[in-house]
Amino acid sequence: MKIISDIQELRDHLRGQNRASFVPTMGNLHEGHLSLMRLARQHGDPVVASIFVNRMQFGPNEDFDSYPRTMQADIEKLEKEGVYILFAPTERDLYPQPQEYRVDPPQQLGDILEGEFRPGFFKGVCTVVLKLFSCVQPKVAVFGKKDYQQLMIIRRMAKQFALPVEIIPGETIRAEDGLALSSRNGYLSTEERAEAPELQKVLKEVRERVLQLKDRTSQSISEIEKVAVASLAGRGWQPDYIAIRQQSDLAPASNEQLQAGEPLVILTAAKLGKTRLIDNLEI
Ligand code: AMP
């Protein structure tokens, strides 16, 4: 595997390749990331991965400095997966001048849910992803459904800018107890790690209640959300949101849409101690 930090060197190595398959990451790789590498291999060749912890998408009080950086272990994992190039730029490589041109996603997608609790997050994500696409010029790029809203925003960005890249979604990989794999799981204490699968359990309970709504309309969608938030809070979590939304555009779902069979998704973010976890479940 070639490890490249310089944009020009990357371009030199990829010259003539028009089927490259790209997986952007922030490193500290786990099975979730590696599943995306395998998916990427099915859709193109060569597979290019990137590792870059993008300061622009972290808020001032977030974990940019403490975000786990495990480059050596990551390199070994990517080599085992047969990745052809690891693009691992430094901040100076990717942002040699201050990045003044940025991609601002539409408010109705970028300022809700994650965007409400992490202002500017999706602007940072879209800007770095567009720039990485420009560096790698892949034919396909793979993103995890674990970051459901991010996947949707990037798909729409690619479409609206007519980027010549197909966005492929990868399923969420979980630990045996149901907790979605995440680099941030490493922040959890032993007790918190034991509690963490509750997030997925609550989502499953919400799904059950929503499906029951199809028969009796006594409880509204917003009541179900409130009960779920209270249940997490009662166990010591600090939930940011549990939201039942339409899969198509993440707009709030109504009982009527549910009756009409509109595909829905439940999204959540909640803090356990100092660790903020996100997850989602499609209905
Ligand atoms: P990150 O390193 O957190 O920026 O994630 C890089 C990519 O891996 C993103 O497309 C994520 O959605 C995806 N990803 C993160 N966790 C998982 C998981 N548990 N299963 C599948 N994909 C994941």
Side-chain angles (χ1 to χ4, degrees):
M1 182 173 72
K2 283 260 174 288
I3 303 167
I4 298 176
S5 60
D6 180 73
I7 295 176
Q8 193 51 50
E9 199 184 323
L10 177 74
R11 293 221 168 103
D12 291 344
H13 270 277
L14 285 171
R15 184 156 304 123
Q17 304 278 9
N18 56 10
R19 292 188 57 241
S21 194
F22 179 43
V23 187
T25 81
M26 299 203 299
N28 191 239
L29 303 181
H30 50 64
E31 265 306 307
H33 297 115
L34 301 183
S35 74
L36 302 188
M37 305 297 159
R38 288 166 212 146
L39 191 56
R41 177 124 39 90
Q42 292 172 21
H43 289 274
D45 181 58
V47 175
V48 179
S50 69
I51 295 181
F52 182 69
V53 184
N54 178 40
R55 189 188 293 272
M56 201 193 289
Q57 72 193 60
F58 286 78
N61 299 317
E62 293 184 357
D63 57 345
F64 175 77
D65 288 321
S66 57
Y67 197 84
R69 289 161 173 89
T70 52
M71 189 57 87
Q72 205 45 50
D74 292 350
I75 289 171
E76 284 163 26
K77 289 174 186 166
L78 293 176
E79 280 185 328
K80 278 199 192 125
E81 295 300 332
V83 169
Y84 174 67
I85 289 179
L86 168 59
F87 180 45
T90 63
E91 288 192 287
R92 271 184 136 202
D93 288 311
L94 207 60
Y95 299 125
Q97 299 109 29
Q99 184 71 30
E100 290 157 343
Y101 289 75
R102 300 183 182 203
V103 182
D104 207 357
Q107 279 178 6
Q108 72 273 18
L109 263 189
D111 293 354
I112 61 167
L113 304 168
E114 283 302 280
E116 180 185 342
F117 290 91
R118 304 185 68 187
F121 172 66
F122 288 115
K123 196 174 187 173
V125 168
C126 286
T127 303
V128 77
V129 168
L130 181 65
K131 191 150 188 180
L132 290 168
F133 282 177
S134 160
C135 296
V136 176
Q137 304 192 13
K139 185 188 73 125
V140 301
V142 182
F143 289 84
K145 282 164 81 170
K146 157 96 188 326
D147 299 277
Y148 203 89
Q149 189 178 3
Q150 168 175 288
L151 168 65
M152 174 168 294
I153 288 176
I154 286 171
R155 272 191 153 152
R156 290 184 177 213
M157 174 180 80
K159 191 167 179 214
Q160 280 210 351
F161 282 116
L163 304 179
V165 55
E166 183 190 352
I167 308 299
I168 309 238
E171 293 301 326
T172 301
I173 305 299
R174 300 176 179 280
E176 266 180 29
D177 58 13
L179 176 64
L181 298 188
S182 163
S183 304
R184 292 193 168 95
N185 293 351
Y187 298 151
L188 298 168
S189 69
T190 312
E191 298 79 51
E192 288 165 351
R193 177 63 189 81
E195 171 64 17
E198 188 65 21
L199 197 60
Q200 172 68 4
K201 282 192 201 136
V202 166
L203 290 182
K204 285 187 169 158
E205 283 164 21
V206 169
R207 179 165 68 181
E208 282 315 303
R209 293 212 183 92
V210 169
L211 290 174
Q212 282 167 12
L213 268 188
K214 283 195 169 175
D215 312 321
R216 31 175 205 90
T217 47
S218 53
Q219 210 182 12
S220 76
I221 286 212
S222 66
E223 279 168 52
I224 296 179
E225 292 171 345
K226 278 189 203 134
V227 169
V229 164
S231 130
L232 272 186
R235 300 177 63 101
W237 294 69
Q238 302 144 261
D240 280 346
Y241 60 85
I242 297 181
I244 302 162
R245 297 294 170 102
Q246 301 175 47
Q247 282 182 26
S248 57
D249 58 4
L250 300 184
S254 65
N255 280 17
E256 291 69 37
Q257 280 163 331
L258 181 67
Q259 309 289 346
E262 171 85 27
L264 303 180
V265 56
I266 317 156
L267 304 108
T268 185
K271 271 173 104 175
L272 190 52
K274 290 199 162 89
T275 308
R276 188 170 181 280
L277 301 177
I278 64 169
D279 203 351
N280 62 79
L281 188 63
E282 290 177 324
I283 305 182

